[in-house]
Amino acid sequence: MYREERLQVRRRGGRKRALGTRAPMTIPQGGNQRWSLDFVSDAFACGRRFRIFAVVDDFTRECVRLIADTSISGLRVTRELDWAIAERARPAMIVSDNGTELTSMAILRWSKERNVEWHYIAPGQPQQNGFIESFNARLRDECLNETIFTSLPQARSVLAAWRHDYNHHRPHSSLGNMTPAEMAAKSVGKPVWGLTPKPVVITPTDGHQSGHRLYS
């Protein structure tokens, strides 16, 4: 009777998600060739949760971005990536897990507009994103577990100081005992794209003019 009267409810399809790539990744041979990103969670003394968005350059081990907020959407991720590109250069590839924010339409649109390949690791396989996982463990052991956070401004201040110390004063054995900043300076003379980048003004995906110059 339901079929005859056409009363059946139509099934809704799932939302469109960014697909990215699953092909094996090449080993980065210079700075800004591949960035890894992830989220870390913590809580204020009052019990309210907040999130930290972290981005690491897989070649230099630099912490490119370390952003704290109570909520970080996919659109906010694209804005932060635009700021990072304005300060550095556009990466050839970005690696992440399959979190909701990172498979959003905002990410899909951003990766196409910026011509940045987005690689998703296999679900439940965090070891495939080993650079950011190692960074997250160090961040938690050295900063998050050692600090009682009372407010968002205080958390941002603590994280900014820790990031500066990590980039400029922490030698890595994998980098020949150089700091990430020293490794980045050493690789500056080897442009990722092989050409002098041309500055262009790019408008973030939320429609607001950034005022930053990004490099193509």
Side-chain angles (χ1 to χ4, degrees):
M1 290 180 61
Y2 270 76
R3 285 196 297 270
E4 290 176 359
E5 297 297 328
R6 298 180 181 179
L7 298 176
Q8 61 269 34
V9 178
R10 293 180 60 186
R11 290 185 177 182
R12 295 182 59 186
R15 72 177 181 87
K16 186 179 291 186
R17 292 174 177 267
L19 297 177
T21 63
R22 299 284 187 186
M25 295 182 295
T26 58
I27 299 174
Q29 301 298 318
N32 295 321
Q33 288 188 357
R34 192 174 76 205
W35 293 355
S36 297
L37 54 86
D38 199 6
F39 291 98
V40 181
S41 296
D42 210 300
F44 300 116
C46 64
R48 187 184 182 188
R49 305 291 297 179
F50 69 97
R51 307 183 77 194
I52 301 166
F53 174 59
V55 183
V56 169
D57 187 303
D58 289 357
F59 182 77
T60 66
R61 306 298 198 275
E62 285 179 285
C63 177
V64 177
R65 219 70 180 156
L66 198 61
I67 305 300
D69 213 327
T70 52
S71 177
I72 302 177
S73 65
L75 190 59
R76 173 70 180 280
V77 168
T78 64
R79 290 201 301 268
E80 295 299 337
L81 291 175
D82 276 339
W83 306 152
I85 291 173
E87 295 171 357
R88 302 166 58 88
R90 184 181 61 188
M93 175 186 285
I94 289 178
V95 184
S96 78
D97 61 20
N98 299 266
T100 303
E101 302 88 350
L102 304 179
T103 57
S104 65
M105 288 300 296
I107 295 296
L108 175 63
R109 183 169 55 249
W110 183 90
S111 64
K112 287 184 176 179
E113 291 177 352
R114 305 298 185 262
N115 193 28
V116 174
E117 182 179 357
W118 201 289
H119 179 94
Y120 290 105
I121 63 174
Q125 300 294 323
Q127 67 273 14
Q128 293 182 5
N129 206 4
F131 291 102
I132 194 70
E133 291 294 335
S134 176
F135 173 84
N136 288 347
R138 178 173 292 191
L139 171 65
R140 188 165 294 283
D141 288 344
E142 299 179 1
C143 181
L144 305 185
N145 290 347
E146 298 296 322
T147 309
I148 297 176
F149 296 105
T150 57
S151 66
L152 190 57
Q154 181 238 1
R156 289 170 172 167
S157 177
V158 169
L159 289 170
W162 186 88
R163 173 176 175 254
H164 183 273
D165 182 67
Y166 173 86
N167 282 340
H168 295 273
H169 303 291
R170 302 286 189 86
H172 287 240
S173 58
S174 59
L175 301 178
N177 289 321
M178 287 189 291
T179 65
E182 289 171 338
M183 188 63 180
K186 184 178 179 181
S187 64
V188 164
K190 302 177 181 178
V192 174
W193 309 107
L195 297 171
T196 301
K198 297 179 181 180
V200 294
V201 175
I202 291 182
T203 303
T205 51
D206 61 356
H208 297 291
Q209 185 68 40
S210 69
H212 288 284
R213 290 183 176 270
L214 309 188
Y215 291 82
S216 59

